[in-house]
Amino acid sequence: MTVHGSQRVAGQKSAAIASEHWPVPFWKMSGAGNDFVIIDHRRPLIAAEQMADFARLVCRRKFGVGADGLFFIEPSSQADFKWRFFNTDGSEAEMCGNGARCVARFAYMHGIAAARMRFSTLAGIIEASVEDTQVTIHLTPPSGLALGQRVQVGSQEYTVHCINTGVPHAVVFVDDLAHADVRGLGYTLRHHADFGPAGVNVNFVALTEDGLHIRTYERGVEDETFACGTGAVASALIAALLGQAKAPVMVTTSGGVQLCVLFTPQGDNHFTGVQLKGPAHLVYSGELTPEALAA
């Protein structure tokens, strides 16, 4: 078989990453269809400056393991542990609700933390409790609330509600969720100048008799995902502020899994005790070889 120059370069690049530590153990976990690679990094394996590229390559579907993001679990002087979390595109993210539940269960399963734990993220300290496959996380207080923004897209104007639940979210209520233009309009709103330069995750939400149904376009993944935990929380809080829901709010993801959002309204559009409860499943574990990073 002929090896082309680009393939040789990719192979040389992959060998440079963690070259002293192959194979690299990893665990694949899913939180309501949001899937992640988790690496126990308490003993350093990947140089900090290489983490973004490593995550991007490992998270590629078809070529790598495939995932919505990758977590490095590291020691912390402030909590049981801390994480560094990278999206599929290699960007580092502040917070991830479904990922937080997966990480908490991983830490409990591996004796890194007790069933009740605290871990450090770029969004702040997150508390979590693990009960079998069900995990509850306590989120940091929401911020950046903006109700009823009018956003112009071409000749059409949309009503968008915004809130930061660890990462920034925009919520758009729709009547027909099945036919919502999640990829097209989601992409446009995610990159809209009104939300720049960081952009937002975009949640399309339908109100139903059994709670909220949601589809989310996630920045960093740059596509619709089967679930978004912080998006579920954002949508539940916005629905409550608009008088459309009361805690606990059941949120059904596009993957068909129900998440439970709990909170206590405090008046003046504030909330305390914001929690997200849902499943965290171990899919498989294995070892990464340098070829996982090859083109």
Side-chain angles (χ1 to χ4, degrees):
M1 179 178 69
T2 301
V3 179
H4 298 285
S6 61
Q7 291 176 308
R8 284 196 294 269
V9 170
Q12 291 166 359
K13 180 178 181 181
S14 68
I17 298 179
S19 60
E20 298 178 2
H21 301 289
W22 297 109
V24 175
F26 76 95
W27 287 260
K28 179 74 178 289
M29 298 193 71
S30 174
N34 232 174
D35 59 337
F36 307 97
V37 171
I38 300 178
I39 293 177
D40 186 348
H41 209 245
R42 291 174 295 165
R43 179 176 69 87
L45 301 172
I46 312 299
E49 64 272 16
Q50 296 177 329
M51 284 180 170
D53 273 343
F54 180 88
R56 179 180 57 80
L57 293 169
V58 171
C59 288
R60 295 175 304 167
R61 301 194 187 275
K62 308 295 186 182
F63 290 98
V65 176
D68 292 327
L70 185 148
F71 291 93
F72 294 99
I73 307 303
E74 300 186 331
S76 171
S77 59
Q78 299 178 316
D80 293 304
F81 60 91
K82 68 178 181 180
W83 79 29
R84 290 197 67 180
F85 172 48
F86 293 88
N87 289 311
T88 303
D89 65 358
S91 59
E92 189 165 9
E94 305 94 325
M95 178 55 187
C96 177
N98 291 323
R101 295 200 320 280
C102 290
V103 163
R105 186 167 179 230
F106 172 87
Y108 175 64
M109 291 171 65
H110 290 84
I112 300 172
R116 292 183 179 274
M117 68 187 74
R118 301 169 71 249
F119 52 93
S120 180
T121 75
L122 291 180
I125 298 293
I126 301 297
E127 297 182 357
S129 58
V130 179
E131 186 176 350
D132 195 18
T133 61
Q134 292 293 309
V135 182
T136 302
I137 60 169
H138 300 248
L139 282 77
T140 54
S143 61
L145 175 66
L147 294 175
Q149 285 186 248
R150 305 297 293 176
V151 178
Q152 194 74 30
V153 176
S155 61
Q156 192 162 351
E157 191 177 61
Y158 294 89
T159 300
V160 180
H161 313 282
C162 295
I163 192 169
N164 189 312
T165 53
V167 291
H169 282 275
V171 176
V172 180
F173 288 96
V174 298
D175 295 324
D176 185 0
L177 186 61
H179 294 94
D181 185 14
V182 177
R183 284 188 173 180
L185 181 57
Y187 174 88
T188 301
L189 291 175
R190 176 261 187 269
H191 291 281
H192 199 282
D194 287 1
F195 307 124
V200 290
N201 297 281
V202 184
N203 306 278
F204 296 85
V205 181
L207 302 168
T208 71
E209 293 182 356
D210 62 344
L212 307 182
H213 285 239
I214 181 174
R215 295 175 65 187
T216 301
Y217 184 96
E218 285 203 56
R219 62 175 192 168
V221 178
E222 302 309 331
D223 202 350
E224 179 177 2
T225 56
F226 279 130
C228 177
T230 54
V233 172
S235 301
L237 297 181
I238 293 295
L241 287 171
L242 297 178
Q244 302 290 343
K246 293 182 179 180
V249 180
M250 302 306 297
V251 181
T252 302
T253 68
S254 57
V257 178
Q258 275 200 329
L259 300 172
C260 181
V261 181
L262 302 100
F263 52 86
T264 301
Q266 292 296 322
D268 297 324
N269 292 341
H270 286 87
F271 299 93
T272 59
V274 179
Q275 302 175 53
L276 174 68
K277 182 177 182 180
H281 293 124
L282 173 64
V283 181
Y284 58 86
S285 60
E287 292 183 328
L288 292 166
T289 74
E291 295 178 39
L293 309 186

